[in-house]
Amino acid sequence: MAFAAPKETFSGKVFEVIIGTDKTAVFGGENVLSFHAFEGNVPHRPVIAYEVQDIVPDDWPETVKKVYDSVSGDPVTWAKYCQDTLNAKAIALRLLSTHPDRENRSPEDAAKTVKDVLAAINVPLIILGSNHAEKDSSVLVAVSEAAKDKNCIIGKAQEGNYKTIAAAAMANNHKLIAMSELDINLSKQLNILITQMGFDKEKLITDPMCSALGYGLEYTYSVMERIRLAALTQNDATMQPPMLADVGMYVWKIKETQASDAELPLWGSLAERGITWEAVTAASLLMSGAELLIMRHPEAVKAVEKFIDELM
Amino acid sequence: MALTGVEIFKLLPKTNCKKCGHPTCLAFAMKLAQRQASLDACPDVSEEAKRILGEASAPPIRPITLGAGDKAVKMGEETVLFRHEKKFVNPCAFAVEVKDSMSDDEINKVVDEVLNSEIDRVGQKLRIDAIFVSNASNDAGKFESVVKGIASKAPAVPLIISTNNPAAAEAALKNIADKKPLLYGADESNAEAMANVAKAYKASLGVTARGLDALSALTEKIKGLGVEDIVLDSGARSAKEMLEANTFIRRAAIKKNFKALGYPVITFVQRDDKMLESLVATLGVTKYSSIVVLSSIEKWKNLALFTLRQNIYTDPQVPMQVEQKIYKIGEPTPESPLTITTNFSLTYFIVSGEIENSKVPCRLAVMDCEGLSVLTAWAAGKFTASKIAQFIQESGIENEIKHKELIIPGYVAILSGAIEDKLPGWKVTVGPREANGLPAFLRSKV
């Protein structure tokens, strides 16, 4: 029996998203599963953004914190370091200082930080709140305005706060991350609610919620695969935005990235273990459909870029 | 491809004799289609029907066992392309390459690493499953002695014998014929001789060809020579080629019932850059490899790959559970807070992660609720006041801590009074509803 390559083509396609104004970045646009260029069109590589915070990352494990020791006191210096020294294709600025349990800084303060960072870099900027639903709705409105027309990604809009955030992103010409918690139906519903406000579905990025390797990764993995299959096989426009994996923040808080070699000799060298953990988490979510990644450790980013080189 | 009930019905005697225990032949056919009945129950079925049904009911990817005894690894038998459809069946095996040109010390070091690679994670024992011995020296005698040495040092570890020289294969296999090894290296030039060696020593046979066309022709030929336990190497070495070949092989086997590619796949991911090697191995684990051959097995790399394999091969329909016990997070003192939740793994991971975020050392009591989340377990009567009280009493925690305060999830606030009634002397405090409220809550407690 002769072999015939069982190629599959689909009616649906992932929306292509362009971010930034000076140096831009583009992701999405494929009409096949991840890296399946052998049977369709994969026009862009996934984009990896470096995470920067507006607060000294005291709670990051040493392996990754020390990389930024000389720059992490100031988000502008930190962002420039990522762009100029690490060749970041995009920066993800997390406004953690605005969280009521952290420094509870005001939306105006956050807006100033965003303006300063934007003035210092020319790569695209992703602006993230502190994941405090209520506070984010005021912070993300203020920063959307501060970044008007800079074609940023604003995030994350969730069920409890999407209205104000989506309205602000829309009014100021930004893309928007819609995040729900590990459930394809919730994800679809949130995308529908946001588009019903008049937000352009082609400016959305779906975040089905990340999980670290060993800490629920399989849930994120399968939700992503299901979303992508719905986008391609059912041509479901509410499932066609590209997907985000916010990898760094989930990986660099678990035991595997913190416990010393002495404490757990069976786990091997801590430095390599932490970096591998971030890289393997990212690589598996690339396989399940993520096009935009937010990561922390430069060595992990480098490894994932090499992996993408081999896949493209 | 599985036959439908109606297709099966056409092959049955259509006598409605009821001897199979079903009222009609059609009802029996429907049960057969759902794999809830066996054809043996029908006394009158023709040999022809048996043959057709037997072929159709064979798994689309042939089951093959690598090695013998406790550490044998089952491969193949997969039925789907995506893990949310149905559980991936047999977790891929990790093998490390040993070249017979390496020094004895180097070889012993790797074998020791394999023997000491076992790690316990969430109740499962995970390890490097096999050793891939390659005949890099091209010397049959050398190959034989190295294989013999490894087999005596690590008698239980499954072996993959890699050579394209039938004489070297025979030299290596004759000492380990009882171990069900995999002989890798049959190609178009040596197929017949290699098939004969594999048959003689009851080894399964790894076959390689450039391209899936050539590979399918080769597996047909080898099957014709009497070897049925085959493992495929598509020749793909870059991540891009691997994804394409593995996807086509899995689809051809499962969706087209293409028998010539219905075998487990071996994938080679060796790289100088060990971090990149881990990521190409990630591709193998997520995308359909049954054996992943590594160049080295550092502990940090093993832990990440074992964990990934465990994640990808869990049953999506059965909630992952963590062991019932009182977990220490940080370094809790007898005064540190005590919280409780259920043993659904995702619940545990999220709750323990938030407690870690809080930087407040804590004890987290995880109660066996058959893997249900807090609200579901409460609704199902598994997370109730009396069961919580019993768990706390039997855990012996009262001897470890100086206070008697239990923090319960906000969603089950309603249980607080009843727990206090059943746990005399205890104070029950209602914590936040969502785990992300824990850091603020815990910091306010200390």
Side-chain angles (χ1 to χ4, degrees):
Chain A
M1 194 157 61
F3 171 75
K7 292 190 182 179
E8 288 180 2
T9 53
F10 303 104
S11 50
K13 168 183 167 196
V14 178
F15 297 131
E16 183 174 87
V17 171
I18 304 178
I19 53 172
T21 50
D22 184 354
K23 271 193 185 164
T24 56
V26 194
F27 50 92
E30 68 272 24
N31 61 358
V32 284
L33 294 168
S34 309
F35 304 103
H36 283 40
F38 50 82
E39 57 191 0
N41 190 17
V42 182
H44 308 293
R45 22 186 314 137
V47 170
I48 305 178
Y50 272 91
E51 178 172 345
V52 167
Q53 295 188 352
D54 67 341
I55 192 170
V56 177
D58 286 328
D59 54 346
W60 290 16
E62 199 52 35
T63 309
V64 61
K65 188 171 69 176
K66 70 177 180 214
V67 176
Y68 301 107
D69 267 349
S70 60
V71 294
S72 59
D74 168 45
V76 174
T77 318
W78 189 350
K80 269 193 77 65
Y81 174 77
C82 292
Q83 172 186 285
D84 298 338
T85 307
L86 303 176
N87 298 317
K89 309 245 178 65
I91 305 288
L93 172 63
R94 202 180 300 277
L95 298 161
L96 208 55
S97 75
T98 61
H99 197 288
D101 296 339
R102 302 298 285 259
E103 293 178 5
N104 200 19
R105 291 175 67 181
S106 67
E108 294 72 32
D109 278 356
K112 181 173 182 312
T113 306
V114 165
K115 279 195 163 162
D116 291 347
V117 170
L118 276 170
I121 62 170
N122 60 7
V123 294
L125 185 65
I126 300 165
I127 308 170
L128 302 166
S130 63
N131 206 22
H132 184 279
E134 202 181 315
K135 185 68 183 283
D136 277 0
S137 61
S138 57
V139 169
L140 293 178
V141 169
V143 300
S144 290
E145 285 164 11
K148 188 174 177 58
D149 296 330
K150 292 287 186 181
N151 195 19
C152 300
I153 298 176
I154 304 292
K156 300 170 180 175
Q158 304 180 46
E159 191 190 356
N161 63 12
Y162 72 91
K163 282 188 185 153
T164 48
I165 298 171
M170 190 158 52
N172 298 289
N173 294 319
H174 298 301
K175 309 298 190 286
L176 179 69
I177 299 167
M179 184 182 100
S180 47
E181 295 187 350
L182 290 175
D183 183 313
I184 184 172
N185 296 313
L186 292 179
S187 174
K188 183 177 164 84
Q189 183 191 332
L190 182 59
N191 288 357
I192 291 173
L193 289 171
I194 291 173
T195 47
Q196 277 173 350
M197 293 173 58
F199 195 93
D200 182 354
K201 61 185 184 300
E202 300 194 21
K203 293 185 170 182
L204 274 177
I205 291 132
T206 297
D207 178 0
M209 195 163 137
C210 192
S211 339
L213 173 62
Y215 292 80
L217 176 78
E218 67 274 27
Y219 296 92
T220 302
Y221 184 92
S222 280
V223 172
M224 279 191 173
E225 275 194 337
R226 293 180 61 197
I227 289 177
R228 183 50 41 83
L229 286 166
L232 298 175
T233 60
Q234 296 161 28
N235 201 5
D236 179 347
T238 63
M239 302 267 79
Q240 285 172 333
M243 290 188 282
L244 165 71
D246 194 355
V247 174
M249 68 175 285
Y250 288 91
V251 165
W252 293 103
K253 67 178 187 183
I254 59 166
K255 196 169 181 184
E256 281 79 354
T257 60
Q258 313 203 21
S260 70
D261 316 14
E263 197 181 326
L264 284 159
L266 285 177
W267 286 9
S269 150
L270 170 61
E272 277 135 328
R273 192 196 320 138
I275 294 165
T276 311
W277 220 264
E278 184 173 34
V280 169
T281 303
S284 27
L285 296 177
L286 283 177
M287 299 319 303
S288 63
E291 285 95 352
L292 177 63
L293 305 173
I294 299 175
M295 296 178 65
R296 290 181 177 173
H297 202 292
E299 295 301 320
V301 173
K302 263 189 232 162
V304 175
E305 292 283 10
K306 279 190 207 164
F307 180 54
I308 296 170
D309 287 342
E310 253 202 67
L311 277 163
M312 294 294 287
Chain B
M1 208 174 315
L3 298 176
T4 64
V6 173
E7 285 165 335
I8 296 171
F9 173 65
K10 288 178 185 160
L11 298 165
L12 295 179
K14 304 192 196 72
T15 50
N16 296 338
C17 70
K18 302 189 176 61
K19 287 182 206 155
C20 63
H22 295 85
T24 62
C25 288
L26 183 61
F28 181 51
M30 292 299 170
K31 288 287 174 192
L32 284 172
Q34 293 162 18
R35 304 196 172 189
Q36 290 172 356
S38 161
L39 192 60
D40 304 340
C42 176
D44 304 320
V45 70
S46 69
E47 285 306 312
E48 170 71 359
K50 269 188 198 164
R51 189 186 59 77
I52 297 172
L53 286 168
E55 265 176 25
S57 64
I61 299 177
R62 186 176 170 82
I64 291 174
T65 302
L66 172 63
D70 287 356
K71 292 191 175 174
V73 183
K74 285 175 77 181
M75 305 182 294
E77 295 185 281
E78 301 299 334
T79 57
V80 294
L81 281 135
F82 301 102
R83 63 176 293 285
H84 63 263
E85 298 173 296
K86 207 171 174 195
K87 184 181 187 294
F88 282 1
V89 181
N90 288 317
C92 69
F94 293 119
V96 62
E97 180 174 14
V98 170
K99 295 181 174 137
D100 69 352
S101 55
M102 289 160 57
S103 73
D104 288 352
D105 284 353
E106 285 172 312
I107 293 172
N108 283 331
K109 182 172 167 279
V110 179
V111 175
D112 279 331
E113 283 173 359
V114 172
L115 291 171
N116 295 319
S117 64
E118 190 164 284
I119 294 173
D120 196 313
R121 194 172 190 287
V122 211
Q124 288 182 358
K125 292 200 186 313
L126 310 167
R127 61 179 165 260
I128 295 295
D129 305 278
I131 300 176
F132 181 96
V133 195
S134 58
N135 185 204
S137 70
N138 277 322
D139 173 341
K142 174 85 183 153
F143 194 43
E144 177 181 354
S145 81
V146 166
V147 168
K148 207 171 165 181
I150 293 173
S152 73
K153 189 170 163 71
V157 178
L159 296 176
I160 304 168
I161 303 303
S162 168
T163 178
N164 51 17
N165 171 2
E170 178 144 29
L173 285 179
K174 68 181 182 218
N175 300 305
I176 55 166
D178 55 334
K179 294 185 190 296
K180 291 266 316 159
L182 168 64
L183 169 60
Y184 165 83
D187 56 31
E188 273 142 17
S189 69
N190 65 9
E192 215 149 318
M194 291 293 270
N196 286 337
V197 176
K199 263 196 298 189
Y201 296 99
K202 297 193 173 58
S204 39
L205 188 58
V207 305
T208 179
R210 280 306 289 186
L212 300 183
D213 236 342
L215 187 61
S216 331
L218 187 56
T219 60
E220 297 269 81
K221 178 175 172 185
I222 284 174
K223 193 179 168 194
L225 294 165
V227 175
E228 293 205 274
D229 287 347
I230 294 173
V231 173
L232 306 173
D233 169 24
S234 64
R237 292 297 180 270
S238 76
K240 181 187 166 82
E241 294 169 332
M242 238 180 245
L243 178 63
E244 176 177 345
N246 283 11
T247 302
F248 281 159
I249 290 171
R250 178 68 75 96
R251 272 188 202 156
I254 286 176
K255 294 184 135 178
K256 310 281 182 201
N257 203 28
F258 185 70
K259 292 291 180 195
L261 294 179
Y263 301 100
V265 170
I266 185 168
T267 295
F268 297 88
V269 303
Q270 298 100 315
R271 298 285 185 284
D272 290 337
D273 178 339
K274 300 307 167 201
M275 201 71 73
L276 180 61
E277 179 170 315
S278 311
L279 303 190
V280 184
T282 296
L283 171 64
V285 174
T286 54
K287 291 291 167 184
Y288 317 138
S289 298
S290 286
I291 302 175
V292 173
V293 182
L294 302 157
S295 69
S296 64
I297 46 170
E298 295 84 353
K299 288 192 166 67
W300 51 268
K301 192 162 89 184
N302 293 353
L303 186 69
L305 292 178
F306 292 167
T307 306
L308 177 70
R309 174 177 63 180
Q310 190 176 42
N311 284 176
I312 295 296
Y313 280 85
T314 52
D315 188 339
Q317 274 134 22
V318 177
M320 273 281 277
Q321 304 183 21
V322 293
E323 186 193 346
Q324 161 165 311
K325 70 173 190 183
I326 295 180
Y327 291 82
K328 291 180 178 175
I329 299 173
E331 284 171 18
T333 64
E335 285 79 22
S336 299
L338 172 67
T339 61
I340 188 165
T341 193
T342 66
N343 75 330
F344 176 35
S345 66
L346 201 54
T347 301
Y348 166 76
F349 290 140
I350 291 173
V351 171
S352 60
E354 292 295 350
I355 294 176
E356 274 162 17
N357 282 347
S358 77
K359 305 281 176 201
V360 177
C362 215
R363 283 182 180 78
L364 174 62
V366 172
M367 191 170 133
D368 182 1
C369 297
E370 294 168 29
L372 299 178
S373 65
V374 168
L375 272 180
T376 332
W378 173 56
K382 299 186 193 304
F383 197 55
T384 62
S386 51
K387 287 181 177 164
I388 291 171
Q390 188 189 359
F391 169 45
I392 292 297
Q393 275 163 345
E394 289 173 1
S395 70
I397 189 67
E398 282 173 317
N399 304 322
E400 266 185 58
I401 56 176
K402 287 216 172 115
H403 61 81
K404 285 191 169 186
E405 181 185 6
L406 177 65
I407 300 164
I408 63 170
Y411 278 116
V412 290
I414 194 165
L415 296 179
S416 61
I419 300 172
E420 283 182 353
D421 288 346
K422 296 195 161 61
L423 271 180
W426 281 75
K427 176 182 171 216
V428 173
T429 302
V430 177
R433 291 161 76 92
E434 295 290 346
N436 63 17
L438 274 169
F441 176 84
L442 291 172
R443 281 197 286 260
S444 73
K445 300 279 301 173
V446 292

